[in-house]
Structures are given as structure tokens and as C-alpha cells.
Amino acid sequence: MKAILAMAIICLFDVVCSAEPLPRSAPEEQGISSEALLAYVDAADHKIDAMNSLMLVRHGHVVAEGWWAPYGAENRHMLYSLSKSFTSTAVGLAIAEGKLHLDDTVLSFFPEDAPDEVSSNLKAMRVRDLLSMSTGHHDETIKPFSFTSLEPQTKQFLAMPIAHKPGTHFVYNTPATYMCSAIVQKVTGEKVVDYLRPRLFEPLGIENPVWFESPQGVSLGGFGLNVRTEDIAKFGQLYLQKGQWQGKQLVPGAWVEAATTRQTSNGSNPDSDWEQGYGYQFWRCRHGFYRGDGAFGQFCIVMPEYDAVLAITSGVRDMGAVMALAWEHLLPAMQSSPLPANDAAQKKLASKLASLQLPPQTGAASSPLAAQVSGKTYQVNDDTGRIGSIKFDFGDGRATMTVGTASGPEQLECGNGVWQKSRATWIAGPDARAALAPDQAVGASGAWTSDDTYSVKLSLYETPFYLNMKCRFSGDEVVIDSEYNCSFGPTKQPQMTGKHR
């Protein structure tokens, strides 16, 4: 790490903020056939349940990019634990500026939050242990940690039992990343999102990043960052270029090397992309790659041997399948020299990428029951308190769903065979981390799936989630069954009933 301290961080006044997009190129110019890319996109479209977006960068040029509607290039996406790699970058920059050291003890930053009895393991825990997920905790001791509690998260963390000597035992530990964020804020006086703004986000042209905070006003660190797909690709390209961007050294090359090198063992299965070692908030992958990743399939995959970066957002349960598909299709396709132009294949690829969409709700545009239930308001027994009532207005093949909330009614147009975009406060996603957003961007699509059942598919297109709602009408009642595509817990939601009075 002496090399990092010796390396001068660029003067912030010398950084030229550029919102320029990455350059685009025909795939063949960068040694990839459009036919191979089309086969990959087709496979991702058909084999992966909920792809949201992808962007492949080769030799610094975007050669393929696509968003599954209602997702779009302009939308920020919830990164979940891919946020950790950005927090790691903040730590590396703070070290390079002399604000802290890898071997500083964690306790030294928060002596006021120390428990009454300080164990030898707590005394020994260092910043490097936080970064490498080697704090010595057991998984079960981490689970009670609350990111929303009014009790300081730093105090919670220091109170957790530490079973192993720090540096000797790997356990994936999101609270440890929160501590990295809190330490950066303590030594710089800035939240990580603000600290990174002039040093990383602005030079890369990452506009208006959103990072959720704890009640104590600390960027959550281990999750909570929301940026666009191209922003993910730029971040990966920065690391591929050893921290250099447009002639400037934004992140010390020594830090890039240390953060993406195996710092601790996390298993020995040669066929698992989760057992190739762990760096400083970066996973090692098979094939000599490394990545930042987040729950339900948020990926920034850096492939140094191929001079390539793959950015993916998705809403899947099987993250390994997403990576395996990329290895299967992309690795054999990347050649060391340019290929002959193939205009016909390029047009087919461009057409496919432009037409991607999550499957909207299928079914009939109307039903014999539609006129009877249209305009009726049903009072709903929602245990969450988010939905007080629900009403559907049907007519001319159109449907409007009106949900009564504590702050007033909210309307969603439900497209028939298409996605209609809106925003809503009552649909938060299945995870408390997603609920940190004050409202959600929603794409709605609906259809009659039987004479008495109107089904609505709601895509929260700034998150990995979509919700299937089945509203079955009978007399003066409606029964609502809902299920999310993915979740940390049960995907099926409690059944709700509504009564027209």
C-alpha cells in the first residue's frame, strides 16, 4: 500500500467532468461477430427469466447494448451489492489521500460506540478485514443487524460477537461495508456519495447518482446505490484501464490491483464463480475475471484477458445462470483481431436489441364482467397499510387501476399488450431495501386471463422486481393474489380481499 500513498491523487481542479458516452462501434471492428452476439442476446432473452439490460464493451467501445422495456437507457437501476465495489473505491481514494490506512483498527474510528467489554478480536479488526469480508463474524451474528434502526449502525456493528480472529474467516458481510462507508465519512467529513462525486462520478460522466442512507445520514455502502447501465460499464472500464480515464489517473493503479486480487479464500470449487477468492469488495470469477455483483443479477464483469467489460442488470433468482450464459456465448466469440464487416448480421442484431421487452401481461382486452365491475371502489384489507382501496375503470380496450393510499388516490394505466409507465408510492417491492425509495417507477400491463379475473403485471423498472397481481371478482368482492419474480424471502404476498360498499 506504500505505492498507493506515494501516488499523487489528481488535483480535483484538473479533472474535466465529461458526460460523454462511451464510444460505439460495430462488433466486427472489435473482433466479435454480430451473429455470435445475436445468439447470446437471443439466449439471454429466452433462457433468463427477467433480464433488464446488458452492455458489452470491447477495446473501450460499446459493441452491444439493450434494455428490456419498460427498462430504458435513461433509467437508474438499483445495484444492491454492486454498490460495494464503489464503496471500496472510496476507501482506496481516502487511503491515497492519507486520510486512513488499511491497517487502522476499526475501533479507533468509533471509540464512543465501543461496547462495555471490548474483545481481543474486536481490538484486532482492521480496515482491510472489513474490505475482504474477513471480520471474524459468523453469518448468524450478522442477521440481526438493522440498517434502519435509530440505534447507530456503528454501535450495532461493534457489539456483534466476533467468533474468529479477524483476517482468518470469510463471511459475506454487508454491515462491514457499511462500516467502510462510515469510516470514509468520519475521516473526510463527506458522505461516500458526495466524496466520490468530484473524484469518480463527475469524471466518468455519471450523472445524479442516488445512494440511500441510514437514519444516521451515512451512505449505506453495501447497497443502495442507483446508477444507469452505462455508468456500470464505465466503472468497469475504469478498472480495466487500471484506474485511468481520459489521460487522468482517477484511482491509483496499485489500489485497482489490490482490490481485484484475491485477498482471501472463499472456497475451492473450480466450477463456482463464488469460490475463486475475494478481493476488496470485488469477487474473483472463473477465467481470471473479476466482478462487482448485486442481488438478483446486477453485474459489472471485467475480463482483462479479453479487454472487455460486461454490464448487466436483471431480476433473477439464479445469478450463476446469467454468468454461465455469458461465458458460453461471449468467450468463444471474442477474437484477437477485427473481423470482416457483416452489415446484414449487424442489422439483425440492432433490430433484436431495439425490440427487447419483458413479456407484458397476456390475455383478453375485455370480459363480459368488465362493465359490471368498472368504476366500483373496493375497500381492501391490506396488512401493510399501503393500499386502502382499489378501483378499475374499463372501456374501449383500456384499463385504469386507481389505488387509494394514505396520501390520496394514485392511478396506473394498464396497457394491453404493452407497458404504460407511471410512478407509485404504494408498491415498494418485496425487500425493505427497495422500500427506501419514496416512490417507484412502474410499468403496468393488464389483461383478462379469465372471465372473472383481471391480471396486472407491474414492472418496477428502476429495480429488479416485477409483481404479478391477479384480481378475481365475485359479486361485491375482489380477491387479490400477488407474487414477485424474486425476493430474499417468500415471493408470494399475503392474499388481500376487497369489498364494494
Side-chain angles (χ1 to χ4, degrees):
M1 289 300 105
K2 290 182 179 178
I4 295 179
L5 295 177
M7 180 175 290
I9 286 292
I10 55 172
C11 175
L12 299 183
F13 296 105
D14 290 337
V15 176
V16 177
C17 176
S18 172
E20 292 180 4
L22 291 165
R24 267 58 177 174
S25 171
E28 281 75 14
E29 293 177 9
Q30 309 306 326
I32 310 177
S33 79
S34 295
E35 291 176 337
L37 284 178
L38 179 59
Y40 168 62
V41 175
D42 276 334
D45 193 27
H46 291 102
K47 293 183 179 181
I48 304 300
D49 178 53
M51 288 288 286
N52 301 162
S53 71
L54 65 83
M55 181 175 287
L56 178 64
V57 184
R58 183 91 197 280
H59 303 324
H61 292 74
V62 176
V63 295
E65 57 187 313
W67 288 262
W68 277 255
Y71 292 85
E74 72 281 4
N75 299 122
R76 287 185 294 267
H77 197 286
M78 189 175 290
L79 299 192
Y80 277 93
S81 286
L82 177 49
S83 309
K84 290 179 168 69
S85 301
F86 289 82
T87 300
S88 168
T89 304
V91 173
L93 290 170
I95 288 174
E97 292 177 355
K99 303 288 188 182
L100 71 148
H101 303 276
L102 274 174
D103 289 320
D104 286 341
T105 63
V106 176
L107 193 59
S108 67
F109 296 101
F110 308 103
E112 69 280 6
D113 290 330
D116 293 336
E117 295 185 13
V118 178
S119 69
S120 59
N121 283 341
L122 178 56
K123 290 179 182 178
M125 189 190 301
R126 301 164 296 170
V127 171
R128 69 168 69 245
D129 301 321
L130 299 175
L131 289 165
S132 62
M133 300 293 190
S134 299
T135 56
H137 293 108
H138 278 164
D139 187 57
E140 58 268 23
T141 63
I142 298 169
K143 289 180 180 177
F145 187 94
S146 171
F147 291 96
T148 58
S149 170
L150 295 180
E151 180 184 25
Q153 279 66 38
T154 49
K155 187 173 184 178
Q156 290 183 60
F157 183 89
L158 296 175
M160 293 192 303
I162 305 169
H164 302 272
K165 182 180 178 180
T168 66
H169 182 72
F170 176 87
V171 167
Y172 195 70
N173 190 335
T174 297
T177 318
Y178 177 89
M179 294 298 287
C180 290
S181 176
I183 287 171
V184 170
Q185 184 164 329
K186 188 73 174 281
V187 300
T188 68
E190 294 182 283
K191 300 171 186 177
V192 163
V193 67
D194 296 324
Y195 179 70
L196 286 178
R197 201 177 306 278
R199 294 166 175 82
L200 182 77
F201 295 137
E202 289 177 357
L204 293 185
I206 297 177
E207 299 178 323
N208 304 316
V210 173
W211 208 323
F212 299 146
E213 301 175 0
S214 70
Q216 282 67 44
V218 177
S219 297
L220 289 168
F223 64 100
L225 179 60
N226 300 256
V227 297
R228 300 168 181 85
T229 306
E230 185 159 352
D231 301 333
I232 299 170
K234 287 178 175 179
F235 180 69
Q237 187 65 27
L238 172 70
Y239 267 74
L240 181 63
Q241 295 170 179
K242 303 296 184 183
Q244 292 189 6
W245 193 261
Q246 296 181 349
K248 300 290 187 179
Q249 192 73 41
L250 298 187
V251 179
W255 179 260
V256 172
E257 181 68 22
T260 61
T261 297
R262 174 176 171 152
Q263 296 290 343
T264 187
S265 174
N266 57 1
S268 59
N269 182 352
D271 299 321
S272 171
D273 283 301
W274 278 272
E275 297 189 28
Q276 305 305 308
Y278 194 79
Y280 292 150
Q281 308 288 291
F282 284 87
W283 295 89
R284 296 291 304 176
C285 305
R286 290 179 290 166
H287 311 291
F289 304 161
Y290 61 87
R291 73 185 190 276
D293 78 24
F296 315 119
Q298 324 316 314
F299 291 105
C300 178
I301 302 172
V302 181
M303 301 176 267
E305 181 182 345
Y306 295 88
D307 193 24
V309 172
L310 179 61
I312 291 175
T313 62
S314 57
V316 300
R317 304 182 195 188
D318 185 357
M319 293 173 61
V322 178
M323 285 189 284
L325 201 67
W327 308 158
E328 176 187 352
H329 287 272
L330 295 182
L331 302 194
M334 290 190 278
Q335 307 301 312
S336 58
S337 57
L339 302 175
N342 189 336
D343 291 342
Q346 289 175 21
K347 288 179 180 178
K348 288 181 180 179
L349 174 62
S351 176
K352 175 68 178 182
L353 290 167
S355 64
L356 294 171
Q357 71 167 346
L358 290 181
Q361 181 62 55
T362 58
S366 190
S367 160
L369 195 62
Q372 298 179 37
V373 301
S374 182
K376 288 185 175 180
T377 298
Y378 297 84
Q379 303 301 315
V380 176
N381 64 335
D382 175 21
D383 291 339
T384 70
R386 290 181 174 273
I387 300 177
S389 64
I390 192 167
K391 179 182 72 166
F392 289 92
D393 290 286
F394 299 105
D396 298 326
R398 297 169 59 89
T400 302
M401 179 171 67
T402 303
V403 173
T405 73
S407 58
E410 297 182 7
Q411 288 189 342
L412 291 177
E413 295 290 332
C414 302
N416 182 251
V418 296
W419 295 100
Q420 294 286 346
K421 292 184 176 182
S422 186
R423 299 196 75 89
T425 63
W426 58 271
I427 178 170
D431 173 37
R433 303 181 191 186
L436 293 170
D439 65 352
Q440 296 284 0
V442 180
S445 174
W448 290 91
T449 48
S450 66
D451 284 350
D452 65 352
T453 301
Y454 186 72
S455 296
V456 182
K457 194 171 184 178
L458 301 172
S459 169
L460 310 187
Y461 60 87
E462 292 177 347
T463 82
F465 306 114
Y466 65 80
L467 178 68
N468 288 316
M469 294 179 64
K470 293 183 178 180
C471 304
R472 181 168 53 84
F473 299 94
S474 177
D476 286 334
E477 291 187 345
V478 61
V479 177
I480 304 171
D481 290 299
S482 305
E483 186 169 10
Y484 283 98
N485 58 314
C486 56
S487 171
F488 288 117
T491 55
K492 192 170 184 179
Q493 303 300 293
Q495 188 179 75
M496 296 184 292
T497 59
K499 184 174 285 290
H500 174 61
R501 302 185 189 279

